[in-house]
Structures are given as C-alpha cells and as structure tokens.
Amino acid sequence: AWPEGDGCTDEPEEFAQQLSEGSVLHRTGVLAVGIFLYGALMGDVYASLAIVNEHTYNLKPAQSGALLMLIAVSYIILCPLIGWVCDGPIEHSRRCLVCGLVLGILAYAFLALQPLVFEVVGLLVLGVSEAMFLIPAWPVLLDLAGGNELEAAGAVSAVLNTSYLAGESVGPLLSLLLVRSFGFHVTMGMQAVFLAISAVAVCGIVPF
C-alpha cells in the first residue's frame, strides 16, 4: 500500500480521474523535462563525436564508434546492480537517480577536456551515469505519479520513453547549433552546466 498524504492512491477510479485531470503529468513534469534534456545531451554526443575525433585526433569513424561503445559497456555491466538496488525501497531509486545526474555532470566535464584519455574516461562515466539515471527513473516516476504499478504503468512508461526518445532526436540539432558555433569541448562544458541546472530542479521534486 502507498503511504497516505503523498498524493498517492490505491483506487483505480481515483487514479484515472487524476490522470484525466492532468495531475499525474503535472507531478512528473519536472522529471520528464530532465529526462528529455538528458536524452538531448546524449544525442549530441552520438551525433558529433566521430566528426570531432576525426579532425582533433585523426581517428577513423570506426575507431570513434568503438569509443562510443564504452558507454554501452559500462551501462551493461552496471545494469544488473542498479536494477537490484531499485527493487528495494523507493529511497534507493531516488538516490540512484540523483547520483546518475551528478555522474553525468562529471562525465561531460571530462569530455570537455583534452587529450583523448579524458574522452575515454568521460564516455565510461557517461555509461555509468546513464544506467544510474534511466533505470531508477521508472520507479521514481511511478512514485511521483501516485499510482500503483498496475494502475500507472502505461502512463509512466509513456512519459519516460517519450521524453528520452524525443530528447535524443533533438540531439543532432543541438550538435548542429552548439558544436558548430563553440566547438565540441566547449559544448561539453556547457552540457555539464545544463545538466547541473537540471539536477537542481530534479532534486527539488525528488526527496532523497
């Protein structure tokens, strides 16, 4: 059962009414925007890294693709552990999510630096950040929505997936605007700042 006084409900009819009135989207809106921004920043990295590495480090596209796989490697390794943690109390998911944002800030700070070794470290940290942010995002969104898993699963999944994928689709445009104007490394520093602002907003609605 959900605790009383947190806007949560065990009644399907009451939850359906909240959903129709938009209160679910209102409660999850800040985190949804944070997920959108996270996806956009990731899309920027995917869109621009190969081109930048070719000009900066004389790497072939296949070599840059191998570097990008570092994100997947660290993500896959950490997934089971984060999933196990998020099966516990909701406080664990909240803390993982916030830590994921903090690690994302650190990852973009590394990507803003040269030489290539900082990029390698930044990509590995970015994969860890992605796992620690996206995996607990579902239970945290569910908690903010105020329904139980059966009642709110569809709405929460829609918010999570739509926010992240819409953000990733904006990433190449972000790359076009920022990387072309300021360069890759300056843009990565800017993205660290953007993510820090998002983290402050998310911490305001996610108690941990």
Side-chain angles (χ1 to χ4, degrees):
W2 290 78
E4 296 181 359
D6 289 338
C8 302
T9 174
D10 288 321
E11 297 297 330
E13 295 83 3
E14 185 178 348
F15 178 77
Q17 182 179 0
Q18 291 178 0
L19 182 61
S20 66
E21 293 172 352
S23 59
V24 167
L25 294 180
H26 174 73
R27 278 196 289 265
T28 59
V30 173
L31 183 53
V33 171
I35 295 169
F36 172 87
L37 178 63
Y38 195 96
L41 301 183
M42 290 291 295
D44 184 9
V45 173
Y46 286 123
S48 58
L49 191 71
I51 298 173
V52 170
N53 280 348
E54 184 176 2
H55 288 87
T56 305
Y57 303 114
N58 200 29
L59 296 181
K60 296 179 180 178
Q63 293 172 315
S64 291
L67 284 176
L68 282 171
M69 285 297 294
L70 293 174
I71 298 175
V73 168
S74 56
Y75 182 93
I76 291 169
I77 291 174
L78 206 61
C79 266
L81 176 60
I82 300 301
W84 175 75
V85 170
C86 291
D87 279 340
I90 188 62
E91 290 80 11
H92 293 175
S93 295
R94 293 168 181 167
R95 289 165 188 158
C96 275
L97 184 139
V98 172
C99 287
L101 288 173
V102 172
L103 285 175
I105 297 167
L106 182 62
Y108 287 117
F110 275 117
L111 290 173
L113 302 173
Q114 292 179 294
L116 185 61
V117 64
F118 288 114
E119 181 177 302
V120 172
V121 174
L123 293 173
L124 284 170
V125 175
L126 194 57
V128 175
S129 164
E130 190 174 24
M132 294 189 72
F133 178 68
L134 292 181
I135 293 173
W138 198 89
V140 172
L141 277 169
L142 187 65
D143 180 60
L144 291 173
N148 65 40
E149 185 173 338
L150 179 62
E151 296 159 4
V156 168
S157 294
V159 171
L160 175 58
N161 288 286
T162 301
S163 299
Y164 187 76
L165 292 177
E168 272 203 324
S169 68
V170 171
L173 177 61
L174 195 65
S175 173
L176 183 67
L177 295 175
L178 295 181
V179 176
R180 281 196 174 186
S181 300
F182 303 104
F184 178 78
H185 295 97
V186 173
T187 298
M188 293 300 103
M190 294 170 64
Q191 293 194 175
V193 174
F194 295 156
L195 199 58
I197 295 171
S198 174
V200 171
V202 169
C203 287
I205 54 104
V206 177
F208 63 96

